[in-house]
Amino acid sequence: MLIARIRQILYFLHQGVKNLSVGGISAIIAVTSITCSLLLICLYFIISSHLTKAFDLEKDIRVVLYLKESVSKNRIEPLQQKLTNYEEILGIKYVSKEKALEKFHHILGEDAIILEGLNNNPLPASFEIELNHEAKEINRLKSVLHQWEVLPEVESVQGGVEWIEKLSGFIIALRISLCFLGGILIIISLFIIASTIHLTIDNRRDEISIMRLVGATDWYIKLPFLFEGVIEGILGGTLAIFLFWVFYEVLRWRITPCLQLIFNFSEINFLTMKQIFIVLLVGGVIGGGGSLLSFFLQSFQHR
Amino acid sequence: MLIARIRQILYFLHQGVKNLSVGGISAIIAVTSITCSLLLICLYFIISSHLTKAFDLEKDIRVVLYLKESVSKNRIEPLQQKLTNYEEILGIKYVSKEKALEKFHHILGEDAIILEGLNNNPLPASFEIELNHEAKEINRLKSVLHQWEVLPEVESVQGGVEWIEKLSGFIIALRISLCFLGGILIIISLFIIASTIHLTIDNRRDEISIMRLVGATDWYIKLPFLFEGVIEGILGGTLAIFLFWVFYEVLRWRITPCLQLIFNFSEINFLTMKQIFIVLLVGGVIGGGGSLLSFFLQSFQHR
Amino acid sequence: MQPLSAIVQMFHVYKTFDDNYRALIDINLRIEKGEFLFLVGPSGAGKTTLMRLLFREERASSGQIIVYGRNINKIKAGRIYQLRRKIGVVFQDFKIIPTKTVFDNVAYVLQVLGQPKSEIERKVYAALNRVGLEKRMDHYPKKLSGGEQQRVAIARAVVNDPVLLLADEPTGNLDADRAHEIMKLFNDINLHGTTVLMATHNIGLVGKMKKRAIYLREGKIAHC
Amino acid sequence: MQPLSAIVQMFHVYKTFDDNYRALIDINLRIEKGEFLFLVGPSGAGKTTLMRLLFREERASSGQIIVYGRNINKIKAGRIYQLRRKIGVVFQDFKIIPTKTVFDNVAYVLQVLGQPKSEIERKVYAALNRVGLEKRMDHYPKKLSGGEQQRVAIARAVVNDPVLLLADEPTGNLDADRAHEIMKLFNDINLHGTTVLMATHNIGLVGKMKKRAIYLREGKIAHC
Ligand SMILES: Nc1ncnc2c1ncn2[C@@H]1O[C@H](COP(=O)(O)OP(=O)(O)OP(=O)(O)O)[C@@H](O)[C@H]1O
Ligand SMILES: Nc1ncnc2c1ncn2[C@@H]1O[C@H](COP(=O)(O)OP(=O)(O)OP(=O)(O)O)[C@@H](O)[C@H]1O
Ligand SMILES: [Mg+2]
Ligand SMILES: [Mg+2]
């Protein structure tokens, strides 16, 4: 019984491969359609992961705590200790009044001449704080900043909230747009594949109706097509990944210099193993699913 | 003779429409494939025109001419006159030493306390110059700036070149990327359409070979398919534009707020009439071309 | 319920097509188990339509049809294959699968039943031998002559010793000698227990065989 | 060059298929203008193959074929339609276009020639009438019986009074009466000047018609 089952499945697989090789141009078209669709999905993956990276400006999230003029030097150390205990803090740096003036001098550049007329240093001492990823969550950031604002040593807290608010809004918008684009691409892909396989099977409608007439069950007819679809899908996926890799290798050297100019990362990474696996899986699923779908359409058309 | 020709062409058109209606699902698939492809092209058009707009920051191209401390007030007027003669200049504004200090005060904001200790005003007078579109061409800009630098009244010229150099590099990179993306999309589209029409015609290979056997010339067989393809293409184009318009109307209200945050334009425009025309034309051409192409393939296969 | 000796019974069967064309009118018919029956009639009389009803390629518009003890109107779509596996059909237009070789076309009927490979090979060789096509086994149907294709269709119909054999004009593309051989083949099968219903225009054959014949004319049974 | 009275001449024609199967061996044949010639032979003898050579569906492997004064081996691919327009063919497997109605199938041969609509209608009606299908004009072929489809193929072949009519087993799906009518039709056409070459297994018909017959056997001409 089990052996008979296995023999049957092997038979279906064999038929699937045979159909593929008999299918000729139809099979080639099905495979290349799937390849095109999956190429779009690869493109989506790579754009998606790098765009997120481009705007995920981890180290730029900084906050400055300006200290009151009255805070004496020996109270700096314990305050820094206290702040370091906050788990949201990734790094902290004390900037003394003198250091601040130096920096300001540097920032002004040519205009620094105006500082020549100064009698005393008007700039306050401060802590420059770098926040870790968790703090980017806007509400958490607000609450932490509020705690720091009411510290007796702190004059004012600068930066952070508005910028983060803007940025996270942008990232959300970007994510939504990308999901949207990805969704459209997947729908288009599915459509193309279902159409192609539909046409391919439509090409064989006589064959299928003959099989029915000589006593084949529906599943006996369907399974080889299903396997054929899955094999075509996986072939298409493999081809897509290969082509995308070629494409990637060719373009990498051209795009990289431009990138550094605009974004703050300088290298494009290829798809991860997980993404490659997903592409192959999606290929197999849409190949097989397309077969089933078009078989379903078929049965409506020719009953 | 002429009447006979016209009758023949009407016959072909009629056959084309008839094929379409007899074609059923195949015809629907061909039209929707073309629609998908043209949707991608619409998307390309809209992204392309808006990205260019987003980085085409016309009014941000400014140059500042700092004047020498020694230039007396009565030489300002003639100099301004002289500069206005340059056709590259869109607008020019004189900023006196007092005005410059005021502005600096404003820029520093809270930090303006440092200006309190000043004895005299160290800031120079200047001309803020807005350049017109032509000047953005990098070489032209360089030569104009050079001419101004050597004017006796001018201490130094600030801004412009590096920023423009960066920007134009970026825009070129962007344009190339977009053309590249567009090219890929069009190739994918053509492929999908040629495949679909090939399968559609392959579905009718028996029909075509019978036509040949009963004495039809190649063109007599081809033309109805050609017309069918063109009609399908234009139908697909119309559908694509309609769907894209729906898509546009639905998304406009969601995307607009995010846009203002990132780019300096706040409205997405729909395709121009010219672009709509191009989409329809491309539809017709790829529809007809796809037919011819697959017919060509066919003749290799079945000779 | 019905006597076991009848393999096909038709009661007041009508078949009207979409365009209101009445192809079969009040057909009443009983075919005994093991019988050899001819269906004769001019072109368009309804012979093919009658056969199509028996293996549910078409459904009767009204009336009851009982095949092998089952009312076939009541068979669910998903179970029709069980009926068809008991019936061998030689289609008037052959209905050979163009993408399978001659061997695979005939073997398909047995593969569907899940028979072991060795047995399939034995049976297919035997069937092709009987119709004289053993040398053409690995050819694709497109390459065969009209008569050869018809013989493939015959081999497929008889390969599994069906309970009922429906042969629709099975000798239309065959020369007299070949036709005679095929009739001998059908007779053999009939002697081994298969009921045979054969539609034909070849009155000569009908005369020679000395079997019962039904005459169809414009959808009605004329003689019995 | 060749006498005007011959419409078909074949000199030492061989046809070998890809698989080295020799379907025709050293065929020499001369068909006179206005002749009615039968081509008889068992299944697989090469009858269809011989006809296919005459309208260049296949090319001879060697030898010369002259039809209507032209060496058809030398016709360019783009000009074959000129040959085919002079020849009416009843294909053994009918070759009817499934997406066109009966009327359109027959009319296509005339549309290809650019004939005016009124004349096309007149001729198509007449041809369909001759084969008894005038009532079936607007049907699609799938809905027709085997014999009806065969008659559509016959109507198409004769609709434009071809110079040469090739009929490949044109009565295989027809009852004796219908077959007799078709033979009368061919005879009529023949009397109006069309040369007829008809392949058949029906020795009875051949006997009745009292015409010249060529016997093909395993690709060779046996009698003449
Ligand atoms: N699907 C259909 N729709 C409409 N009419 C049909 C359909 N199928 C068959 N017919 C008509 O029913 C009649 C009987 O057809 P059938 O095929 O049973 O004839 P037949 O006796 O087999 O003829 P032949 O000897 O020519 O094969 C014919 O006139 C045919 O045109
Ligand atoms: N394309 C092909 N490739 C290989 N062999 C072929 C091809 N076409 C025909 N044959 C073989 O050539 C032989 C002659 O075929 P043909 O069709 O001419 O026979 P026929 O005399 O018309 O037979 P029938 O009466 O059965 O129609 C057959 O044995 C056939 O199998
Ligand atoms: Mg019939
Ligand atoms: Mg033949």
Side-chain angles (χ1 to χ4, degrees), chain C residues 10-28:
Chain C
M10 298 176 90
F11 300 106
H12 304 294
V13 171
Y14 288 76
K15 176 67 190 177
T16 309
F17 284 108
D18 300 340
D19 49 359
N20 280 322
Y21 184 88
R22 298 172 81 194
L24 291 176
I25 300 164
D26 196 24
I27 300 292
N28 290 285

Side-chain angles (χ1 to χ4, degrees), chain B residues 86-100:
Chain B
Y86 280 87
E87 57 179 5
E88 285 85 359
I89 284 183
L90 201 69
I92 184 163
K93 201 174 119 198
Y94 175 66
V95 180
S96 63
K97 282 174 73 78
E98 296 75 37
K99 192 91 193 195

